[in-house]
């Protein structure tokens, strides 16, 4: 695989400087993916601390303050450090290949947007060693808890968030410019593979909402250091304003973390069903509809703040409306599989699990959308169960499916299918054992973010913790599979998936731009 980088005028860079200076989209995609894998294990180890504490009632291992620091850091690292960089890594690898471009449009910007991340997360993790400890106000960092009562490390947390946001905006600009300006000659927008479409829409979402996150943490910074009262009621501010601004960012953010997974599943299902994707155009429109609707539902996270009845009704109905385009996508995936010549290699197993389990997460989301019911569910483990069903079997399974699917393309070698199947089944059992019991303890009234709980929740919590340990340790098998594939995997055939006849159908017209096409050479253009 050609991976050349210009370092001054001295030819290709060698060793470590190759990775630091590289402008090659494949190198940068690989670095994003490796970084997100490291972050997955750091965030996962924090989840292990949380689940070890909750294994039994009573206080076992850690002080409540440290427990709160772990819940905060786990959420922030998984969202900004594991899921988002992984999707950007997949985009870096696949988008140029899928549209026949020689590289990303802005290669140096691409390099910069990656290298900002290690510094941002080093700063965030360093807060664990600072006086007063890491942020302990939850990953949603609600004011005034995060402004008036926060540890001194809150300033470093704010700067770390700013850096992550800058990285995301730069990456999104790059993807948009690449897709609009560097498609192969004759390739229309409605010829784009669905992974490219979902990333294009995701990139617009990122550019729209990241400045909102920057605004809210800047207002926090002013409240902490400069005597303003944006969120301080004593100075005429409003704590609920924080929630409005935060969720106006964070609800579209949820879709930023799952739309690229929709794209991956839309590539995988036609391949292993060996027939064209059902309803390509409706998939594109459904994705765009989800993105647009995600901007008008933010306050469904805030039903308990005392908003007017008309507000509750608006946010309730608009939230339910998002179920329509999502239902269209699920219907199309199932219709694609219907009467196909299906085989069940590892990527397809993860894709099917994604469809089934993400739907469960969507249905519990509909329950939470019902305002009067949400008064009961709010801040219980039912909410934790809901969003983990959306983000773990949703985003994380989507990423893993994409890695297995494209790995032969990336390194020219096949992974061990038997080990891949083991990885899938252990992950599937672990995920459901972890998050399904949370629905029951949540409905029974167990509050989230509390290190202790009443005796009647003990059995389900023990099950949940065992499931979490199983799921987390299984990912070590994933790392082993990846290393084994790269080091000594069997050479992959030209069409790795059984000469999968359906591959030319990853775009609606049988044009030669499918996933495994060789990009055209552009010469000096």
């Amino acid at each position: 695989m050609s991976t050349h980088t210009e370092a001054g005028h001295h030819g290709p860079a060698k060793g470590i400087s190759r990775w630091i200076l590289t402008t090659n989209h494949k190198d940068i995609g690989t670095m994003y993916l490796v970084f997100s894998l490291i972050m997955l294990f750091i965030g996962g180890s924090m989840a292990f601390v949380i689940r070890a504490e909750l294994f039994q009632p009573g206080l076992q291992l850690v002080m409540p303050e440290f427990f709160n620091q772990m819940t905060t850091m786990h959420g922030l690292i998984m969202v900004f450090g594991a899921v988002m960089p992984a999707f950007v890594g997949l985009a870096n690898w696949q988008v140029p290949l899928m549209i026949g471009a020689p590289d990303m449009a802005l290669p140096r910007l691409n390099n910069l947007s990656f290298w900002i991340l290690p510094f941002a997360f080093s700063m965030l993790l360093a807060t664990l060693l600072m006086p007063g400890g890491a942020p302990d106000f939850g990953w949603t960092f609600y004011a005034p808890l995060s402004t008036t009562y926060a540890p001194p490390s809150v300033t470093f947390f704010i700067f770390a968030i700013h850096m992550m946001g800058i990285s995301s905006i730069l990456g999104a600009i790059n993807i948009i410019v690449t897709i609009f300006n560097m498609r192969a000659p004759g390739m229309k927008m409605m010829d784009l593979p669905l992974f490219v479409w979902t990333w294009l829409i995701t990139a617009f979402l990122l550019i729209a909402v990241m400045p909102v996150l920057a605004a809210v943490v800047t207002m926090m910074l002013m409240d902490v250091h400069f005597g303003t009262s944006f969120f301080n009621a004593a100075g005429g501010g409003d704590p609920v304003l924080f929630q409005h601004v935060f969720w106006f960012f964070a609800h579209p953010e949820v879709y930023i973390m799952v739309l690229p997974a929709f794209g991956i599943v839309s590539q995988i299902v036609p391949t292993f069903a060996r027939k064209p994707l059902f309803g390509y155009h409706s998939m594109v429109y459904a994705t765009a509809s989800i993105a647009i609707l995600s901007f008008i539902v933010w306050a469904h996270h805030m039903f308990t703040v005392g908003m007017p009845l008309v507000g509750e009704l608006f946010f309730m109905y608009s939230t339910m409306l998002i179920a329509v385009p999502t239902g269209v996508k699920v219907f199309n995936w199932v219709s694609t599989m219907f009467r196909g010549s299906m085989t069940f290699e590892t990527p397809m197993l993860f894709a099917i699990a994604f469809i089934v389990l993400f739907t469960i997460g969507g249905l519990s989301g509909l329950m939470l959308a019902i305002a009067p019911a949400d008064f009961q569910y709010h801040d219980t483990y039912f909410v934790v169960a809901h969003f983990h069903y959306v983000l773990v079997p949703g985003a994380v399974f989507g990423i893993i499916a994409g890695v297995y699917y494209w790995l032969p393309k990336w390194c020219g070698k096949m992974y061990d299918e038997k080990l891949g199947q083991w990885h899938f089944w252990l992950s599937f059992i672990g995920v459901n054992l972890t998050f399904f019991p949370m629905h029951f303890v949540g409905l029974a009234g167990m509050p989230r973010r509390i290190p202790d709980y009443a005796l009647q929740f003990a059995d389900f919590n023990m099950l949940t913790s065992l499931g979490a340990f199983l799921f987390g340790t299984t990912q070590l098998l994933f790392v082993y599979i990846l290393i084994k594939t790269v080091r000594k995997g069997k050479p992959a055939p030209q069409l790795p998936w059984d000469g999968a006849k359906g591959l030319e159908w990853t775009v609606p017209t049988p044009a030669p731009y499918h996933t495994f096409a060789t990009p055209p050479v552009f010469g000096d253009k």
Side-chain angles (χ1 to χ4, degrees), residues 132-470:
D136 57 356
F137 33 65
W139 81 273
T140 52
F141 45 98
Y142 275 11
L145 189 59
S146 58
T147 51
T148 311
Y149 306 103
S153 62
V154 66
T155 312
F156 293 89
F157 154 81
I158 289 169
F159 282 126
I161 294 281
H162 268 304
M163 290 166 79
M164 295 166 208
I166 292 166
S167 168
S168 293
I169 290 171
L170 298 183
I173 291 170
N174 209 347
I175 286 165
I176 291 170
V177 176
T178 304
I179 294 169
F180 279 156
N181 287 354
M182 300 187 68
R183 299 195 302 285
M187 191 180 204
K188 300 188 199 63
M189 291 299 282
M190 278 299 173
D191 294 334
L192 293 178
L194 261 167
F195 178 69
V196 181
W197 258 119
T198 53
W199 242 115
L200 179 65
I201 291 165
T202 302
F204 276 110
L205 276 180
L206 275 167
I207 287 175
V209 301
M210 278 299 161
V212 180
L213 177 66
V216 82
V217 293
T218 305
M219 289 152 87
M220 276 176 65
L221 188 73
M222 306 293 275
D223 274 13
V224 172
H225 289 295
F226 300 107
T228 57
S229 295
F230 289 109
F231 310 126
N232 182 1
D238 184 2
V240 177
L241 172 67
F242 177 93
Q243 297 189 33
H244 277 294
V245 183
F246 175 82
W247 285 115
F248 191 76
F249 147 76
H251 194 81
E253 166 68 26
V254 174
Y255 291 96
I256 287 165
M257 288 190 285
V258 88
L259 288 182
F262 288 170
I264 292 166
V265 170
S266 302
Q267 300 294 134
I268 292 173
V269 168
T271 301
F272 294 96
R274 290 172 179 74
K275 55 190 280 241
L277 181 73
F278 181 89
Y280 169 92
H281 288 81
S282 66
M283 287 295 242
V284 173
Y285 296 133
T287 310
S289 309
I290 290 169
I292 292 161
L293 287 171
S294 74
F295 280 100
I296 60 166
V297 297
W298 77 91
H300 66 209
H301 299 269
M302 302 167 51
F303 281 139
T304 56
V305 302
M307 69 174 81
L309 181 63
V310 66
E312 283 179 12
L313 288 171
F314 173 82
F315 288 109
M316 179 165 89
Y317 292 138
S318 58
T319 304
M320 289 178 172
L321 197 58
I322 283 202
V324 177
T326 312
V328 168
K329 296 181 92 67
V330 173
F331 175 80
N332 286 6
W333 290 322
V334 174
S335 302
T336 305
M337 290 188 270
F338 180 64
R339 300 185 68 177
S341 310
M342 301 228 319
T343 52
F344 298 97
E345 286 87 348
T346 311
M348 185 61 159
L349 288 175
F350 274 104
I352 293 171
F354 169 97
I355 294 166
V356 174
L357 299 180
F358 181 82
T359 304
I360 292 174
L363 292 172
S364 61
L366 270 176
M367 293 172 66
L368 289 161
I370 301 164
D374 184 76
F375 289 141
Q376 306 301 316
Y377 309 142
H378 191 80
D379 263 340
T380 68
Y381 261 82
F382 189 83
V383 180
V384 181
H386 156 68
F387 72 74
H388 280 89
Y389 258 92
V390 174
L391 288 179
V392 183
V396 176
F397 274 23
I399 292 161
I400 294 170
V403 169
Y404 277 118
Y405 182 55
W406 286 314
L407 195 58
K409 172 76 179 157
W410 296 342
C411 66
K413 295 174 181 170
M414 281 303 282
Y415 64 88
D416 184 326
E417 184 60 48
K418 184 167 273 181
L419 284 180
Q421 304 255 345
W422 269 103
H423 175 221
F424 168 74
W425 285 110
L426 289 170
S427 295
F428 183 80
I429 292 163
V431 152
N432 285 292
L433 201 57
T434 306
F435 300 116
F436 207 75
M438 287 184 182
H439 291 100
F440 304 131
V441 294
L443 291 175
M446 180 174 160
R448 60 193 277 207
R449 297 182 179 171
I450 309 285
D452 194 7
Y453 53 85
L455 199 56
Q456 70 260 33
F457 305 130
D459 295 347
F460 276 139
N461 267 293
M462 188 176 284
L463 266 182
T464 293
S465 289
L466 290 171
F469 299 147
L470 172 64

Side-chain angles (χ1 to χ4, degrees), residues 475-489:
Q475 305 323 306
L476 292 169
L477 174 63
F478 183 43
V479 175
Y480 172 73
I481 293 168
L482 293 175
I483 293 170
K484 184 182 173 198
T485 307
V486 173
R487 286 245 170 111
K488 47 183 194 231

